[in-house]
Structures are given as C-alpha cells and as structure tokens.
Amino acid sequence: MVGKALIFEDGAVQLRLRLAVSLLSHRPVMIRNIRANDLEAPGLREHEASFLRLLDAMTNGSAIEINATGTQLRFKPGVLLGGRIEHHCPMIDKSSPDESEDDGNNHNMKSRSIGWYLEGILPLAAFGKEPLSVLLTGITDGCSEVDPSQDYLKATVIPLLRQFGLGDVAAHDDPMLAPTAPSIRVVKRGAAPLGGGVVEFFCPVARELKPIDFRDPGKIKRVRGNSISCKIVSSSMASRAAYAAKGLLQRLLPDIWIVTDVHTPKKNQCGPSPCLSMILTAESTTGVALSAETCFRKSQELPEDAGQRAAAMLLEEVRRGGVIDSSCQTLALLLMCLTPEDVSRIRVGTLTQYTIASLRLFKEAFDVEFKVKADHETKTVLMSCLGIGYRNMARAST
C-alpha cells in the first residue's frame, strides 16, 4: 500500500537519502526546483541520473518521471528485488560543476566515485527479495574529499551492518543456511578522473533488523591502515606517507600497522590515472571502528603532508568520541528507525548538519522521533528511538 507522497521544494539536497526513504516507507516522493536557478545547466546531473538507473535496476515496479528541464523529479517506489546487478558509474559529468548533493558546498567536482553510489544503496541492500550482489565500475580513489571510498565503507559501515544483525544466522529463516556477511571487495583500482576501477558489493537478505545498544566506545587499542598508490612511478611515495602518519600516531599508542598497497598498470592492476590515498582505522577494546581517509594533492604537497593529514583527521574523529564516526551517523540512525518495536541506543560525537536534516526527514517519513541527550562528561550525544518494526515484505512473500 502506497502512503502519502513526500514533497520537497529544495532541489537535490539529500537526493539519495530521500529516494532510499521513499523505497523503505513505500511513499512516493516529489522533488522540485533541482538547480532551477542554474541558467547554464539546470536539473539533474549525470551521476544523479545514473543513480536513478541503479535504483531502477534494483527494484520492480518503480516509476521515475523527470520533466523536460530536469528540475522536477517524481519517484514512485516499487519492490526491492536484489540479485546480480552490474552498473557503470559515469566518470565525467558534461554539465558544469556545482554544489554537492549532500551539503550544498561548491567542490568543483566533475565526477563522483563508486563510494557515492555504494553509500546511497547501503540502506536498501538487505531488504530485497534475493541477496544483493552489485558490480560497480568507475572511480575508486581520488575523491575522498567529497565522497567516501569503498575502503572507508568497508572499514566502518560493514561492522555497523553486523551490529544490526546482517549476516547473523539467527536473523534468517533457515538456520541451516549460514548467510554470507556483507562485504565490499576491490577487484581493480581506478583513480579520478579516468577511473577504470571495479568494486563488488554483496549483502545478504534480512527479514528484519535487530535493535542495538551501542554506547560503550571503549579504549583505542590499535590503528590499522592502507597507504594506496595507483600508477605512481616512485613506489616509495606510499611508504613515505605511511611513515609520516606513524610518526604522529606513535606519540599516542604503539600498536600501529599501515600497509603500503602499490598498484601499477602492468598486469592490469589499476586504471590510467595516478593517485595516492590513505585510510586509517582506530579500533577500540569494545569493537568500535573509527576511520578517516584522505588523498594526495599532487600539485600542492608532499606525501608526508598527506600522511600527517590523515593521522590528524583520525585523531579528530577519536576526540569527538562516540562509537561511529561522523559520516556513518545518518545510516546508523536510519537503521535504528527500521528496527523492531524496541528501544535502540547509540552514542555519537558531534551531530553533523547533514544528520540533523536527516532526523527531520525520518520524522516526516516514518514518524520516528529520537531522544537526544547530551553527555557533558564525555562530550558526546546519546541517541535513542523506538523502531517502527519494519519487515522485509519482499522476502516474506516468497
């Protein structure tokens, strides 16, 4: 049964999240004024249209209507199918660069990475008729300033999904068939702007999620990371960045291990564009994983600068506290809305502006209100809500 339509007048803000909420709440969505004031290139961008095609491939019965100028989108949700999907993420947007869909800032970006698409479908992955297996081709590295990379999502989001019972035998119908846990695998790396990378994402089906009580951040016990280089003549650049990051982090704790992951065009290991990037993950005694990533600005800095910046970003995430980092807040709170009719609790650091806007969206779509309590002792925020008892109806009908 389709509910009352959600109508938004502020353009492409939170486009992916609004479409995901539409599919989960079974409510049509109308989005107007999509870059209506942009005289040179109004309407949807190429990567946004590509994301709509990806959702269309994941669902059955979805209806997508876009007006002639692309400034108005009407989306009627269908049924999530899952299954095997292959999708090509466009690497160059021929339209003029403009604001990011998420925060409205001008990043002068002409391309979006595979992580941008993965982040958009993560809330939907477990609620299809069949397990979802998506093969995405496009940019894997070099866009970490605006998009989360697949390495970041693997380090932070995959453990979060397991917290909600994805991959848990007890959460499925047949306990004799142990489901495979959610996974993200990099088949081939391809940096911006020419791409050429391949990433495979798998997520099992869940009948329903389980409520969480995730409030204990524990103590940071170790840091793990990757220093990744693609098509760079000097293989020592990744090592130099890793050494610089270790130099800063070892002032705080001794257990640090950063792997240098070097890819060359020989044997088809990476795409044609050069890139140096780094991701660091701090693991705690209670299983918390906080991550930060950055990429090398070739014309402005040395590899040591990129390594120290990644370490400083990770330390900032640790300072904020909480059991998840800033970029995972919205996904965690959305999944909390979908849990059974029981109270779920989580501790987060400083709430981002994007998360605050998302809370308003969840209130409108699911009628779920969060109890927000500031913990002045730890300078964190305790979030709790009562789930709506969402069940995977596509799975239940089989």
Side-chain angles (χ1 to χ4, degrees), residues 268-380:
N268 201 27
Q269 291 180 334
C270 66
S273 298
C275 179
L276 176 65
S277 60
M278 176 176 288
I279 176 169
L280 300 173
T281 303
E283 302 175 11
S284 81
T285 53
T286 56
V288 172
L290 303 175
S291 295
E293 63 176 343
T294 188
C295 56
F296 171 57
R297 304 187 185 106
K298 184 177 179 181
S299 61
Q300 302 175 11
E301 63 183 2
L302 299 172
E304 289 80 0
D305 298 329
Q308 290 184 354
R309 184 172 68 251
M313 292 170 63
L314 179 65
L315 294 176
E316 174 63 18
E317 288 292 345
V318 174
R319 184 198 64 82
R320 292 174 182 172
V323 298
I324 54 174
D325 50 42
S326 303
S327 299
C328 289
Q329 291 177 2
T330 297
L331 176 62
L333 298 180
L334 174 55
L335 295 180
M336 287 171 63
C337 294
L338 304 178
T339 55
E341 297 179 6
D342 195 358
V343 178
S344 293
R345 301 177 180 87
I346 196 169
R347 184 186 300 273
V348 301
T350 305
L351 289 174
T352 65
Q353 291 297 320
Y354 186 83
T355 302
I356 294 171
S358 301
L359 291 175
R360 300 189 183 102
L361 175 61
F362 302 155
K363 167 62 178 175
E364 183 178 0
F366 302 112
D367 196 25
V368 172
E369 292 185 358
F370 279 80
K371 181 180 179 181
V372 182
K373 181 180 179 182
D375 187 342
H376 298 287
E377 183 179 351
T378 61
K379 297 183 180 180
T380 57

Side-chain angles (χ1 to χ4, degrees), residues 221-225 242 245-258 280:
K221 63 179 182 179
R222 62 187 180 188
V223 174
R224 297 292 182 263
K246 289 180 184 178
L248 181 58
L249 294 172
Q250 282 179 341
R251 300 178 186 178
L252 302 177
L253 73 166
D255 191 357
I256 301 171
W257 187 263
I258 302 177
L280 300 173

Side-chain angles (χ1 to χ4, degrees), residues 16 113-116 119 143-144 146-150 152-153 293:
R16 295 168 299 162
S113 69
I114 288 176
W116 185 84
E119 188 182 33
C143 297
S144 60
V146 289
D147 299 331
S149 70
Q150 65 287 330
Y152 170 84
L153 297 175
E293 63 176 343

Side-chain angles (χ1 to χ4, degrees), residues 166-170 172 174-175 177-181 202 204-205:
L166 296 184
D168 185 6
V169 177
H172 293 73
D174 190 354
L177 299 176
T180 305
F202 174 82
V205 173

Side-chain angles (χ1 to χ4, degrees), residues 3-287:
K4 184 180 178 181
L6 301 169
I7 300 177
F8 302 99
E9 303 286 348
D10 53 352
V13 177
Q14 292 188 313
L15 176 67
R16 295 168 299 162
L17 183 61
R18 289 171 175 176
L19 294 173
V21 166
S22 172
L23 284 163
L24 293 171
S25 63
H26 306 291
R27 298 176 63 177
V29 63
M30 167 77 78
I31 302 175
R32 300 192 179 108
N33 301 320
I34 302 175
R35 302 181 184 88
N37 296 326
D38 190 339
L39 300 180
E40 296 183 0
L44 291 168
R45 294 289 179 256
E46 187 174 351
H47 59 272
E48 294 165 342
S50 178
F51 184 73
L52 287 170
R53 291 192 292 270
L54 176 58
L55 288 186
D56 187 50
M58 292 174 56
T59 60
N60 181 28
S62 294
I64 303 171
E65 298 179 11
I66 305 173
N67 67 353
T69 59
T71 57
Q72 178 173 298
L73 167 66
R74 185 192 300 270
F75 181 79
K76 181 179 179 182
V79 178
L80 288 165
L81 294 179
R84 177 73 177 179
I85 299 173
E86 295 185 8
H87 184 76
H88 175 69
C89 307
M91 290 162 289
I92 300 296
D93 194 339
K94 297 179 182 179
S95 59
S96 61
D98 75 329
E99 73 273 9
S100 167
E101 166 251 313
D102 286 347
D103 55 19
N105 294 328
N106 190 336
H107 297 292
N108 294 324
M109 289 294 295
K110 292 186 177 182
S111 55
R112 304 310 288 256
S113 69
I114 288 176
W116 185 84
Y117 295 83
L118 273 179
E119 188 182 33
I121 65 174
L122 278 171
L124 310 170
F127 301 111
K129 186 176 180 181
E130 300 175 355
L132 178 66
S133 178
V134 183
L135 190 70
L136 298 170
T137 59
I139 296 172
T140 61
D141 297 272
C143 297
S144 60
E145 292 185 353
V146 289
D147 299 331
S149 70
Q150 65 287 330
D151 303 283
Y152 170 84
L153 297 175
K154 181 178 180 179
T156 58
V157 174
I158 296 300
L160 178 64
L161 295 179
R162 295 195 182 109
Q163 290 282 342
F164 286 93
L166 296 184
D168 185 6
V169 177
H172 293 73
D173 297 332
D174 190 354
M176 299 300 293
L177 299 176
T180 305
S183 64
I184 297 176
R185 185 173 69 93
V186 181
V187 180
K188 178 184 175 182
R189 293 195 178 271
L194 300 179
V198 181
V199 175
E200 186 173 19
F201 170 62
F202 174 82
C203 185
V205 173
R207 174 71 67 85
E208 63 181 11
L209 302 177
K210 69 177 184 180
I212 64 170
D213 188 357
F214 200 21
R215 292 178 291 174
D216 185 6
K219 301 291 185 180
I220 301 299
K221 63 179 182 179
R222 62 187 180 188
V223 174
R224 297 292 182 263
N226 280 347
S227 181
I228 305 162
S229 67
C230 297
K231 199 188 176 183
I232 295 180
V233 176
S234 176
S235 60
S236 65
M237 293 184 69
S239 300
R240 290 166 58 187
Y243 185 79
K246 289 180 184 178
L248 181 58
L249 294 172
Q250 282 179 341
R251 300 178 186 178
L252 302 177
L253 73 166
D255 191 357
I256 301 171
W257 187 263
I258 302 177
V259 178
T260 55
D261 191 5
V262 179
H263 298 264
T264 62
K266 296 179 180 179
K267 300 181 181 179
N268 201 27
Q269 291 180 334
C270 66
S273 298
C275 179
L276 176 65
S277 60
M278 176 176 288
I279 176 169
L280 300 173
T281 303
E283 302 175 11
S284 81
T285 53
T286 56

